[in-house]
Amino acid sequence: WIKVHFPLEFYTSWLRHAEDKIDPKEEIRELVADLRKQNIELALPSPTALYENFTLDGDKIIVGLSNLKNIGKTQSVKLIELVQSLGKNPNEISWVEFLYYVADKSNQKAIESLLKVGVFHFGKTREFLLHDLFVWNKLTQREKDSLCEKFDGLDSVSAVITKVLTGKINKRRAKTVEDLKLLLDNPPYSLNDTPGKIVKYEKDILGFTVTFSIVELSSSFGSTTCRQFSDGKSDNLDILVEIIRIRDYSPKTGKNVGKKMCFISAEDGTDKLEGVIFPQTLEIYKNSLYEGNLV
């Protein structure tokens, strides 16, 4: 009754208490697939929507910071307090201010998780911010402190390093800092965000994707979606899905006694399907049937 009449509140509460289940990640994955079927929006945290746990915000559910990998409840509360302590609109916080006042006072793995899923973006790509963070952590605290009141106009670590080199610095250290600037200006890999990389980050940090569906990245397209099939579409169908779970099974009775078969769960971003792969079919397609594969 509550699910039918108050779906937003129902899913928010269920997601918040998924941590009490035997397999919290699988519980959340199934809930996310179900709420998408109900056309309920699930959104990533943003500078102006930072919550400790899954939270209903208007007509959408916001993922909580503690629901991200490497960020526990204590760390999520600390991050929110650090952002609020700056006393300004979160959208007006500059990248360098964030590094000095938030990142340096937090667990670095937690900060990487925030950047990988795009909680903070500062008009930059996720790869750019991660590379900047890596170099920022190579600067000494003294070098950072020398600029703490002069962050206006500094929108990147490259700009910070340029400022450091114009201050008081010995020759040996100057050479090291110059090398860091060279690394920033000539990154060893592309700093562009690709859909594939975004999906990889989100699946690793969240356990599911928000920005893209993995199936959207494939060059092949099915003629039907899981949702259409669930709604009754029949005949000959091609449905492109990602395999999310496979469980082997050997029957002890019936005509397939002792033969290996499996139960399979798959999804495409519109819905999730459950199925059975019988022995003869499994033997033919066994090399393609593994978790994470598109079939």
Side-chain angles (χ1 to χ4, degrees), residues 4-38:
V4 170
H5 295 280
F6 301 94
L8 290 170
E9 291 81 357
F10 172 85
Y11 280 107
T12 302
S13 179
W14 208 261
L15 284 164
R16 290 177 69 93
H17 292 284
E19 63 184 12
D20 300 325
K21 304 297 181 180
I22 296 176
D23 188 345
K25 288 185 178 180
E26 182 59 25
E27 181 77 10
I28 290 174
R29 182 199 282 267
E30 292 184 357
L31 286 167
V32 169
D34 199 27
L35 66 85
R36 282 173 174 164
K37 187 176 180 180
Q38 305 297 327

PDB file of all heavy atoms in Angstrom, residues 4-38:
ATOM      1  N   VAL A   4       2.612   1.767  -3.354  1.00  0.00           N
ATOM      2  CA  VAL A   4       1.701   2.268  -4.397  1.00  0.00           C
ATOM      3  C   VAL A   4       1.372   3.738  -4.196  1.00  0.00           C
ATOM      4  O   VAL A   4       1.397   4.534  -5.137  1.00  0.00           O
ATOM      5  CB  VAL A   4       0.404   1.428  -4.431  1.00  0.00           C
ATOM      6  CG1 VAL A   4      -0.635   2.090  -5.340  1.00  0.00           C
ATOM      7  CG2 VAL A   4       0.701   0.017  -4.903  1.00  0.00           C
ATOM      8  N   HIS A   5       1.068   4.127  -2.979  1.00  0.00           N
ATOM      9  CA  HIS A   5       0.593   5.486  -2.715  1.00  0.00           C
ATOM     10  C   HIS A   5       1.697   6.486  -2.372  1.00  0.00           C
ATOM     11  O   HIS A   5       1.541   7.689  -2.595  1.00  0.00           O
ATOM     12  CB  HIS A   5      -0.446   5.458  -1.585  1.00  0.00           C
ATOM     13  CG  HIS A   5      -1.697   4.717  -1.947  1.00  0.00           C
ATOM     14  ND1 HIS A   5      -2.707   5.279  -2.702  1.00  0.00           N
ATOM     15  CD2 HIS A   5      -2.084   3.436  -1.677  1.00  0.00           C
ATOM     16  CE1 HIS A   5      -3.678   4.400  -2.875  1.00  0.00           C
ATOM     17  NE2 HIS A   5      -3.325   3.263  -2.265  1.00  0.00           N
ATOM     18  N   PHE A   6       2.820   6.009  -1.835  1.00  0.00           N
ATOM     19  CA  PHE A   6       3.932   6.898  -1.497  1.00  0.00           C
ATOM     20  C   PHE A   6       5.253   6.289  -1.994  1.00  0.00           C
ATOM     21  O   PHE A   6       6.143   5.979  -1.197  1.00  0.00           O
ATOM     22  CB  PHE A   6       3.996   7.125   0.020  1.00  0.00           C
ATOM     23  CG  PHE A   6       2.752   7.730   0.605  1.00  0.00           C
ATOM     24  CD1 PHE A   6       1.759   6.915   1.127  1.00  0.00           C
ATOM     25  CD2 PHE A   6       2.570   9.111   0.598  1.00  0.00           C
ATOM     26  CE1 PHE A   6       0.597   7.470   1.656  1.00  0.00           C
ATOM     27  CE2 PHE A   6       1.413   9.667   1.128  1.00  0.00           C
ATOM     28  CZ  PHE A   6       0.420   8.850   1.653  1.00  0.00           C
ATOM     29  N   PRO A   7       5.383   6.100  -3.317  1.00  0.00           N
ATOM     30  CA  PRO A   7       6.564   5.411  -3.861  1.00  0.00           C
ATOM     31  C   PRO A   7       7.891   6.100  -3.552  1.00  0.00           C
ATOM     32  O   PRO A   7       8.889   5.428  -3.279  1.00  0.00           O
ATOM     33  CB  PRO A   7       6.292   5.380  -5.374  1.00  0.00           C
ATOM     34  CG  PRO A   7       5.333   6.514  -5.607  1.00  0.00           C
ATOM     35  CD  PRO A   7       4.469   6.535  -4.387  1.00  0.00           C
ATOM     36  N   LEU A   8       7.920   7.424  -3.568  1.00  0.00           N
ATOM     37  CA  LEU A   8       9.169   8.137  -3.296  1.00  0.00           C
ATOM     38  C   LEU A   8       9.650   7.870  -1.868  1.00  0.00           C
ATOM     39  O   LEU A   8      10.827   7.579  -1.642  1.00  0.00           O
ATOM     40  CB  LEU A   8       8.979   9.643  -3.514  1.00  0.00           C
ATOM     41  CG  LEU A   8       8.792  10.086  -4.973  1.00  0.00           C
ATOM     42  CD1 LEU A   8       8.369  11.551  -5.028  1.00  0.00           C
ATOM     43  CD2 LEU A   8      10.076   9.879  -5.765  1.00  0.00           C
ATOM     44  N   GLU A   9       8.724   7.979  -0.924  1.00  0.00           N
ATOM     45  CA  GLU A   9       9.074   7.740   0.470  1.00  0.00           C
ATOM     46  C   GLU A   9       9.435   6.271   0.696  1.00  0.00           C
ATOM     47  O   GLU A   9      10.356   5.945   1.448  1.00  0.00           O
ATOM     48  CB  GLU A   9       7.904   8.135   1.385  1.00  0.00           C
ATOM     49  CG  GLU A   9       7.629   9.623   1.457  1.00  0.00           C
ATOM     50  CD  GLU A   9       6.812  10.151   0.282  1.00  0.00           C
ATOM     51  OE1 GLU A   9       6.493   9.356  -0.635  1.00  0.00           O
ATOM     52  OE2 GLU A   9       6.510  11.355   0.265  1.00  0.00           O
ATOM     53  N   PHE A  10       8.717   5.376   0.020  1.00  0.00           N
ATOM     54  CA  PHE A  10       8.961   3.945   0.162  1.00  0.00           C
ATOM     55  C   PHE A  10      10.380   3.593  -0.281  1.00  0.00           C
ATOM     56  O   PHE A  10      11.124   2.950   0.454  1.00  0.00           O
ATOM     57  CB  PHE A  10       7.943   3.161  -0.679  1.00  0.00           C
ATOM     58  CG  PHE A  10       8.229   1.687  -0.746  1.00  0.00           C
ATOM     59  CD1 PHE A  10       7.777   0.829   0.242  1.00  0.00           C
ATOM     60  CD2 PHE A  10       8.969   1.153  -1.798  1.00  0.00           C
ATOM     61  CE1 PHE A  10       8.046  -0.536   0.192  1.00  0.00           C
ATOM     62  CE2 PHE A  10       9.250  -0.200  -1.857  1.00  0.00           C
ATOM     63  CZ  PHE A  10       8.785  -1.052  -0.866  1.00  0.00           C
ATOM     64  N   TYR A  11      10.761   4.018  -1.495  1.00  0.00           N
ATOM     65  CA  TYR A  11      12.076   3.648  -2.014  1.00  0.00           C
ATOM     66  C   TYR A  11      13.205   4.328  -1.242  1.00  0.00           C
ATOM     67  O   TYR A  11      14.266   3.739  -1.031  1.00  0.00           O
ATOM     68  CB  TYR A  11      12.171   3.995  -3.503  1.00  0.00           C
ATOM     69  CG  TYR A  11      11.496   2.972  -4.382  1.00  0.00           C
ATOM     70  CD1 TYR A  11      10.294   3.258  -5.008  1.00  0.00           C
ATOM     71  CD2 TYR A  11      12.045   1.708  -4.558  1.00  0.00           C
ATOM     72  CE1 TYR A  11       9.660   2.317  -5.806  1.00  0.00           C
ATOM     73  CE2 TYR A  11      11.426   0.756  -5.355  1.00  0.00           C
ATOM     74  CZ  TYR A  11      10.229   1.063  -5.974  1.00  0.00           C
ATOM     75  OH  TYR A  11       9.608   0.126  -6.754  1.00  0.00           O
ATOM     76  N   THR A  12      12.979   5.563  -0.822  1.00  0.00           N
ATOM     77  CA  THR A  12      14.001   6.264  -0.045  1.00  0.00           C
ATOM     78  C   THR A  12      14.290   5.515   1.250  1.00  0.00           C
ATOM     79  O   THR A  12      15.447   5.275   1.614  1.00  0.00           O
ATOM     80  CB  THR A  12      13.564   7.703   0.283  1.00  0.00           C
ATOM     81  OG1 THR A  12      13.298   8.417  -0.926  1.00  0.00           O
ATOM     82  CG2 THR A  12      14.660   8.436   1.057  1.00  0.00           C
ATOM     83  N   SER A  13      13.235   5.134   1.945  1.00  0.00           N
ATOM     84  CA  SER A  13      13.390   4.414   3.216  1.00  0.00           C
ATOM     85  C   SER A  13      14.039   3.049   2.998  1.00  0.00           C
ATOM     86  O   SER A  13      14.942   2.649   3.745  1.00  0.00           O
ATOM     87  CB  SER A  13      12.022   4.242   3.884  1.00  0.00           C
ATOM     88  OG  SER A  13      12.154   3.541   5.097  1.00  0.00           O
ATOM     89  N   TRP A  14      13.601   2.344   1.959  1.00  0.00           N
ATOM     90  CA  TRP A  14      14.141   1.010   1.701  1.00  0.00           C
ATOM     91  C   TRP A  14      15.623   1.083   1.360  1.00  0.00           C
ATOM     92  O   TRP A  14      16.415   0.253   1.785  1.00  0.00           O
ATOM     93  CB  TRP A  14      13.353   0.358   0.565  1.00  0.00           C
ATOM     94  CG  TRP A  14      13.325  -1.136   0.633  1.00  0.00           C
ATOM     95  CD1 TRP A  14      14.107  -1.998  -0.053  1.00  0.00           C
ATOM     96  CD2 TRP A  14      12.470  -1.944   1.453  1.00  0.00           C
ATOM     97  NE1 TRP A  14      13.810  -3.295   0.258  1.00  0.00           N
ATOM     98  CE2 TRP A  14      12.804  -3.297   1.195  1.00  0.00           C
ATOM     99  CE3 TRP A  14      11.474  -1.665   2.382  1.00  0.00           C
ATOM    100  CZ2 TRP A  14      12.164  -4.357   1.820  1.00  0.00           C
ATOM    101  CZ3 TRP A  14      10.845  -2.723   2.992  1.00  0.00           C
ATOM    102  CH2 TRP A  14      11.183  -4.047   2.720  1.00  0.00           C
ATOM    103  N   LEU A  15      16.007   2.089   0.563  1.00  0.00           N
ATOM    104  CA  LEU A  15      17.416   2.273   0.205  1.00  0.00           C
ATOM    105  C   LEU A  15      18.249   2.605   1.445  1.00  0.00           C
ATOM    106  O   LEU A  15      19.377   2.125   1.603  1.00  0.00           O
ATOM    107  CB  LEU A  15      17.557   3.387  -0.829  1.00  0.00           C
ATOM    108  CG  LEU A  15      17.158   3.033  -2.263  1.00  0.00           C
ATOM    109  CD1 LEU A  15      16.969   4.299  -3.100  1.00  0.00           C
ATOM    110  CD2 LEU A  15      18.193   2.119  -2.906  1.00  0.00           C
ATOM    111  N   ARG A  16      17.702   3.433   2.309  1.00  0.00           N
ATOM    112  CA  ARG A  16      18.432   3.837   3.515  1.00  0.00           C
ATOM    113  C   ARG A  16      18.717   2.639   4.429  1.00  0.00           C
ATOM    114  O   ARG A  16      19.725   2.613   5.136  1.00  0.00           O
ATOM    115  CB  ARG A  16      17.635   4.892   4.294  1.00  0.00           C
ATOM    116  CG  ARG A  16      17.552   6.238   3.604  1.00  0.00           C
ATOM    117  CD  ARG A  16      16.682   7.198   4.391  1.00  0.00           C
ATOM    118  NE  ARG A  16      17.301   7.596   5.634  1.00  0.00           N
ATOM    119  CZ  ARG A  16      18.056   8.681   5.803  1.00  0.00           C
ATOM    120  NH1 ARG A  16      18.290   9.473   4.784  1.00  0.00           N
ATOM    121  NH2 ARG A  16      18.563   8.970   6.971  1.00  0.00           N
ATOM    122  N   HIS A  17      17.817   1.667   4.418  1.00  0.00           N
ATOM    123  CA  HIS A  17      17.967   0.518   5.318  1.00  0.00           C
ATOM    124  C   HIS A  17      18.540  -0.707   4.616  1.00  0.00           C
ATOM    125  O   HIS A  17      18.568  -1.796   5.201  1.00  0.00           O
ATOM    126  CB  HIS A  17      16.619   0.182   5.960  1.00  0.00           C
ATOM    127  CG  HIS A  17      16.148   1.236   6.925  1.00  0.00           C
ATOM    128  ND1 HIS A  17      16.684   1.377   8.190  1.00  0.00           N
ATOM    129  CD2 HIS A  17      15.236   2.232   6.787  1.00  0.00           C
ATOM    130  CE1 HIS A  17      16.099   2.404   8.798  1.00  0.00           C
ATOM    131  NE2 HIS A  17      15.225   2.933   7.972  1.00  0.00           N
ATOM    132  N   ALA A  18      19.016  -0.533   3.379  1.00  0.00           N
ATOM    133  CA  ALA A  18      19.598  -1.663   2.648  1.00  0.00           C
ATOM    134  C   ALA A  18      20.843  -2.186   3.351  1.00  0.00           C
ATOM    135  O   ALA A  18      21.196  -3.361   3.233  1.00  0.00           O
ATOM    136  CB  ALA A  18      19.945  -1.238   1.223  1.00  0.00           C
ATOM    137  N   GLU A  19      21.501  -1.301   4.103  1.00  0.00           N
ATOM    138  CA  GLU A  19      22.727  -1.699   4.801  1.00  0.00           C
ATOM    139  C   GLU A  19      22.473  -2.772   5.853  1.00  0.00           C
ATOM    140  O   GLU A  19      23.399  -3.452   6.300  1.00  0.00           O
ATOM    141  CB  GLU A  19      23.369  -0.479   5.454  1.00  0.00           C
ATOM    142  CG  GLU A  19      22.504   0.177   6.524  1.00  0.00           C
ATOM    143  CD  GLU A  19      23.126   1.441   7.093  1.00  0.00           C
ATOM    144  OE1 GLU A  19      24.101   1.917   6.508  1.00  0.00           O
ATOM    145  OE2 GLU A  19      22.615   1.945   8.115  1.00  0.00           O
ATOM    146  N   ASP A  20      21.221  -2.947   6.239  1.00  0.00           N
ATOM    147  CA  ASP A  20      20.887  -3.948   7.248  1.00  0.00           C
ATOM    148  C   ASP A  20      20.638  -5.328   6.639  1.00  0.00           C
ATOM    149  O   ASP A  20      20.448  -6.301   7.371  1.00  0.00           O
ATOM    150  CB  ASP A  20      19.635  -3.519   8.031  1.00  0.00           C
ATOM    151  CG  ASP A  20      19.838  -2.189   8.756  1.00  0.00           C
ATOM    152  OD1 ASP A  20      20.972  -1.951   9.214  1.00  0.00           O
ATOM    153  OD2 ASP A  20      18.875  -1.412   8.857  1.00  0.00           O
ATOM    154  N   LYS A  21      20.646  -5.396   5.308  1.00  0.00           N
ATOM    155  CA  LYS A  21      20.382  -6.665   4.640  1.00  0.00           C
ATOM    156  C   LYS A  21      21.646  -7.523   4.570  1.00  0.00           C
ATOM    157  O   LYS A  21      22.757  -7.036   4.809  1.00  0.00           O
ATOM    158  CB  LYS A  21      19.855  -6.402   3.223  1.00  0.00           C
ATOM    159  CG  LYS A  21      18.608  -5.521   3.186  1.00  0.00           C
ATOM    160  CD  LYS A  21      17.443  -6.178   3.896  1.00  0.00           C
ATOM    161  CE  LYS A  21      16.194  -5.305   3.835  1.00  0.00           C
ATOM    162  NZ  LYS A  21      15.047  -5.910   4.507  1.00  0.00           N
ATOM    163  N   ILE A  22      21.479  -8.786   4.221  1.00  0.00           N
ATOM    164  CA  ILE A  22      22.616  -9.710   4.135  1.00  0.00           C
ATOM    165  C   ILE A  22      23.606  -9.259   3.079  1.00  0.00           C
ATOM    166  O   ILE A  22      24.822  -9.302   3.278  1.00  0.00           O
ATOM    167  CB  ILE A  22      22.109 -11.140   3.830  1.00  0.00           C
ATOM    168  CG1 ILE A  22      21.249 -11.653   4.992  1.00  0.00           C
ATOM    169  CG2 ILE A  22      23.291 -12.079   3.565  1.00  0.00           C
ATOM    170  CD1 ILE A  22      20.631 -13.007   4.741  1.00  0.00           C
ATOM    171  N   ASP A  23      23.080  -8.809   1.911  1.00  0.00           N
ATOM    172  CA  ASP A  23      23.922  -8.338   0.817  1.00  0.00           C
ATOM    173  C   ASP A  23      23.460  -6.933   0.431  1.00  0.00           C
ATOM    174  O   ASP A  23      22.652  -6.763  -0.496  1.00  0.00           O
ATOM    175  CB  ASP A  23      23.824  -9.285  -0.384  1.00  0.00           C
ATOM    176  CG  ASP A  23      24.826  -8.960  -1.475  1.00  0.00           C
ATOM    177  OD1 ASP A  23      25.397  -7.849  -1.442  1.00  0.00           O
ATOM    178  OD2 ASP A  23      25.043  -9.804  -2.365  1.00  0.00           O
ATOM    179  N   PRO A  24      23.942  -5.891   1.146  1.00  0.00           N
ATOM    180  CA  PRO A  24      23.483  -4.518   0.899  1.00  0.00           C
ATOM    181  C   PRO A  24      23.643  -4.062  -0.548  1.00  0.00           C
ATOM    182  O   PRO A  24      22.751  -3.409  -1.099  1.00  0.00           O
ATOM    183  CB  PRO A  24      24.370  -3.686   1.841  1.00  0.00           C
ATOM    184  CG  PRO A  24      24.742  -4.636   2.928  1.00  0.00           C
ATOM    185  CD  PRO A  24      24.927  -5.952   2.235  1.00  0.00           C
ATOM    186  N   LYS A  25      24.771  -4.403  -1.191  1.00  0.00           N
ATOM    187  CA  LYS A  25      25.014  -3.954  -2.561  1.00  0.00           C
ATOM    188  C   LYS A  25      23.975  -4.525  -3.520  1.00  0.00           C
ATOM    189  O   LYS A  25      23.472  -3.826  -4.393  1.00  0.00           O
ATOM    190  CB  LYS A  25      26.422  -4.350  -3.002  1.00  0.00           C
ATOM    191  CG  LYS A  25      27.520  -3.549  -2.327  1.00  0.00           C
ATOM    192  CD  LYS A  25      28.886  -3.911  -2.889  1.00  0.00           C
ATOM    193  CE  LYS A  25      29.977  -3.056  -2.234  1.00  0.00           C
ATOM    194  NZ  LYS A  25      31.328  -3.400  -2.769  1.00  0.00           N
ATOM    195  N   GLU A  26      23.675  -5.806  -3.369  1.00  0.00           N
ATOM    196  CA  GLU A  26      22.690  -6.435  -4.242  1.00  0.00           C
ATOM    197  C   GLU A  26      21.297  -5.883  -3.960  1.00  0.00           C
ATOM    198  O   GLU A  26      20.491  -5.679  -4.872  1.00  0.00           O
ATOM    199  CB  GLU A  26      22.706  -7.952  -4.047  1.00  0.00           C
ATOM    200  CG  GLU A  26      21.740  -8.702  -4.953  1.00  0.00           C
ATOM    201  CD  GLU A  26      21.995  -8.473  -6.425  1.00  0.00           C
ATOM    202  OE1 GLU A  26      23.135  -8.149  -6.813  1.00  0.00           O
ATOM    203  OE2 GLU A  26      21.032  -8.610  -7.220  1.00  0.00           O
ATOM    204  N   GLU A  27      21.012  -5.617  -2.693  1.00  0.00           N
ATOM    205  CA  GLU A  27      19.717  -5.041  -2.313  1.00  0.00           C
ATOM    206  C   GLU A  27      19.537  -3.685  -2.988  1.00  0.00           C
ATOM    207  O   GLU A  27      18.480  -3.393  -3.562  1.00  0.00           O
ATOM    208  CB  GLU A  27      19.647  -4.886  -0.793  1.00  0.00           C
ATOM    209  CG  GLU A  27      18.340  -4.311  -0.282  1.00  0.00           C
ATOM    210  CD  GLU A  27      17.209  -5.327  -0.276  1.00  0.00           C
ATOM    211  OE1 GLU A  27      17.477  -6.522  -0.479  1.00  0.00           O
ATOM    212  OE2 GLU A  27      16.052  -4.909  -0.071  1.00  0.00           O
ATOM    213  N   ILE A  28      20.575  -2.846  -2.935  1.00  0.00           N
ATOM    214  CA  ILE A  28      20.508  -1.518  -3.546  1.00  0.00           C
ATOM    215  C   ILE A  28      20.388  -1.626  -5.061  1.00  0.00           C
ATOM    216  O   ILE A  28      19.605  -0.907  -5.684  1.00  0.00           O
ATOM    217  CB  ILE A  28      21.747  -0.682  -3.158  1.00  0.00           C
ATOM    218  CG1 ILE A  28      21.684  -0.309  -1.677  1.00  0.00           C
ATOM    219  CG2 ILE A  28      21.842   0.584  -4.010  1.00  0.00           C
ATOM    220  CD1 ILE A  28      22.913   0.391  -1.151  1.00  0.00           C
ATOM    221  N   ARG A  29      21.154  -2.533  -5.656  1.00  0.00           N
ATOM    222  CA  ARG A  29      21.092  -2.703  -7.108  1.00  0.00           C
ATOM    223  C   ARG A  29      19.670  -3.062  -7.556  1.00  0.00           C
ATOM    224  O   ARG A  29      19.151  -2.518  -8.531  1.00  0.00           O
ATOM    225  CB  ARG A  29      22.064  -3.799  -7.548  1.00  0.00           C
ATOM    226  CG  ARG A  29      22.109  -4.002  -9.058  1.00  0.00           C
ATOM    227  CD  ARG A  29      22.692  -5.366  -9.379  1.00  0.00           C
ATOM    228  NE  ARG A  29      24.128  -5.381  -9.255  1.00  0.00           N
ATOM    229  CZ  ARG A  29      24.962  -5.159 -10.262  1.00  0.00           C
ATOM    230  NH1 ARG A  29      24.487  -4.894 -11.456  1.00  0.00           N
ATOM    231  NH2 ARG A  29      26.261  -5.200 -10.073  1.00  0.00           N
ATOM    232  N   GLU A  30      19.034  -3.980  -6.824  1.00  0.00           N
ATOM    233  CA  GLU A  30      17.679  -4.391  -7.183  1.00  0.00           C
ATOM    234  C   GLU A  30      16.678  -3.258  -6.978  1.00  0.00           C
ATOM    235  O   GLU A  30      15.759  -3.076  -7.779  1.00  0.00           O
ATOM    236  CB  GLU A  30      17.280  -5.616  -6.362  1.00  0.00           C
ATOM    237  CG  GLU A  30      18.070  -6.875  -6.731  1.00  0.00           C
ATOM    238  CD  GLU A  30      17.601  -8.097  -5.988  1.00  0.00           C
ATOM    239  OE1 GLU A  30      16.688  -7.962  -5.136  1.00  0.00           O
ATOM    240  OE2 GLU A  30      18.138  -9.195  -6.242  1.00  0.00           O
ATOM    241  N   LEU A  31      16.863  -2.498  -5.909  1.00  0.00           N
ATOM    242  CA  LEU A  31      15.969  -1.369  -5.654  1.00  0.00           C
ATOM    243  C   LEU A  31      16.119  -0.291  -6.729  1.00  0.00           C
ATOM    244  O   LEU A  31      15.132   0.295  -7.178  1.00  0.00           O
ATOM    245  CB  LEU A  31      16.248  -0.779  -4.266  1.00  0.00           C
ATOM    246  CG  LEU A  31      15.756  -1.602  -3.081  1.00  0.00           C
ATOM    247  CD1 LEU A  31      16.361  -1.095  -1.796  1.00  0.00           C
ATOM    248  CD2 LEU A  31      14.226  -1.560  -3.008  1.00  0.00           C
ATOM    249  N   VAL A  32      17.361  -0.033  -7.136  1.00  0.00           N
ATOM    250  CA  VAL A  32      17.612   0.965  -8.177  1.00  0.00           C
ATOM    251  C   VAL A  32      16.944   0.545  -9.484  1.00  0.00           C
ATOM    252  O   VAL A  32      16.325   1.356 -10.175  1.00  0.00           O
ATOM    253  CB  VAL A  32      19.130   1.168  -8.385  1.00  0.00           C
ATOM    254  CG1 VAL A  32      19.398   1.984  -9.647  1.00  0.00           C
ATOM    255  CG2 VAL A  32      19.731   1.872  -7.176  1.00  0.00           C
ATOM    256  N   ALA A  33      17.073  -0.739  -9.831  1.00  0.00           N
ATOM    257  CA  ALA A  33      16.434  -1.240 -11.055  1.00  0.00           C
ATOM    258  C   ALA A  33      14.917  -1.102 -10.963  1.00  0.00           C
ATOM    259  O   ALA A  33      14.249  -0.726 -11.933  1.00  0.00           O
ATOM    260  CB  ALA A  33      16.819  -2.698 -11.281  1.00  0.00           C
ATOM    261  N   ASP A  34      14.372  -1.357  -9.776  1.00  0.00           N
ATOM    262  CA  ASP A  34      12.926  -1.288  -9.589  1.00  0.00           C
ATOM    263  C   ASP A  34      12.415   0.148  -9.644  1.00  0.00           C
ATOM    264  O   ASP A  34      11.392   0.436 -10.264  1.00  0.00           O
ATOM    265  CB  ASP A  34      12.552  -1.929  -8.245  1.00  0.00           C
ATOM    266  CG  ASP A  34      11.082  -2.306  -8.178  1.00  0.00           C
ATOM    267  OD1 ASP A  34      10.486  -2.553  -9.244  1.00  0.00           O
ATOM    268  OD2 ASP A  34      10.523  -2.351  -7.065  1.00  0.00           O
ATOM    269  N   LEU A  35      13.128   1.076  -9.002  1.00  0.00           N
ATOM    270  CA  LEU A  35      12.636   2.463  -9.004  1.00  0.00           C
ATOM    271  C   LEU A  35      12.739   3.088 -10.399  1.00  0.00           C
ATOM    272  O   LEU A  35      11.950   3.959 -10.767  1.00  0.00           O
ATOM    273  CB  LEU A  35      13.345   3.303  -7.948  1.00  0.00           C
ATOM    274  CG  LEU A  35      14.832   3.606  -8.042  1.00  0.00           C
ATOM    275  CD1 LEU A  35      15.096   4.823  -8.912  1.00  0.00           C
ATOM    276  CD2 LEU A  35      15.383   3.876  -6.630  1.00  0.00           C
ATOM    277  N   ARG A  36      13.722   2.629 -11.192  1.00  0.00           N
ATOM    278  CA  ARG A  36      13.803   3.124 -12.567  1.00  0.00           C
ATOM    279  C   ARG A  36      12.600   2.639 -13.377  1.00  0.00           C
ATOM    280  O   ARG A  36      12.100   3.340 -14.250  1.00  0.00           O
ATOM    281  CB  ARG A  36      15.104   2.653 -13.212  1.00  0.00           C
ATOM    282  CG  ARG A  36      16.308   3.464 -12.759  1.00  0.00           C
ATOM    283  CD  ARG A  36      17.608   2.902 -13.269  1.00  0.00           C
ATOM    284  NE  ARG A  36      18.717   3.776 -12.927  1.00  0.00           N
ATOM    285  CZ  ARG A  36      19.989   3.421 -12.972  1.00  0.00           C
ATOM    286  NH1 ARG A  36      20.323   2.193 -13.365  1.00  0.00           N
ATOM    287  NH2 ARG A  36      20.935   4.275 -12.638  1.00  0.00           N
ATOM    288  N   LYS A  37      12.159   1.432 -13.076  1.00  0.00           N
ATOM    289  CA  LYS A  37      10.970   0.906 -13.739  1.00  0.00           C
ATOM    290  C   LYS A  37       9.756   1.756 -13.398  1.00  0.00           C
ATOM    291  O   LYS A  37       8.819   1.879 -14.195  1.00  0.00           O
ATOM    292  CB  LYS A  37      10.748  -0.544 -13.301  1.00  0.00           C
ATOM    293  CG  LYS A  37       9.627  -1.256 -14.050  1.00  0.00           C
ATOM    294  CD  LYS A  37       9.538  -2.696 -13.617  1.00  0.00           C
ATOM    295  CE  LYS A  37       8.414  -3.417 -14.354  1.00  0.00           C
ATOM    296  NZ  LYS A  37       8.294  -4.838 -13.941  1.00  0.00           N
ATOM    297  N   GLN A  38       9.777   2.363 -12.206  1.00  0.00           N
ATOM    298  CA  GLN A  38       8.678   3.230 -11.769  1.00  0.00           C
ATOM    299  C   GLN A  38       8.870   4.679 -12.227  1.00  0.00           C
ATOM    300  O   GLN A  38       8.112   5.567 -11.829  1.00  0.00           O
ATOM    301  CB  GLN A  38       8.574   3.193 -10.238  1.00  0.00           C
ATOM    302  CG  GLN A  38       8.417   1.809  -9.632  1.00  0.00           C
ATOM    303  CD  GLN A  38       7.150   1.109 -10.057  1.00  0.00           C
ATOM    304  OE1 GLN A  38       6.130   1.759 -10.276  1.00  0.00           O
ATOM    305  NE2 GLN A  38       7.207  -0.211 -10.191  1.00  0.00           N
TER     306      GLN A  38
END
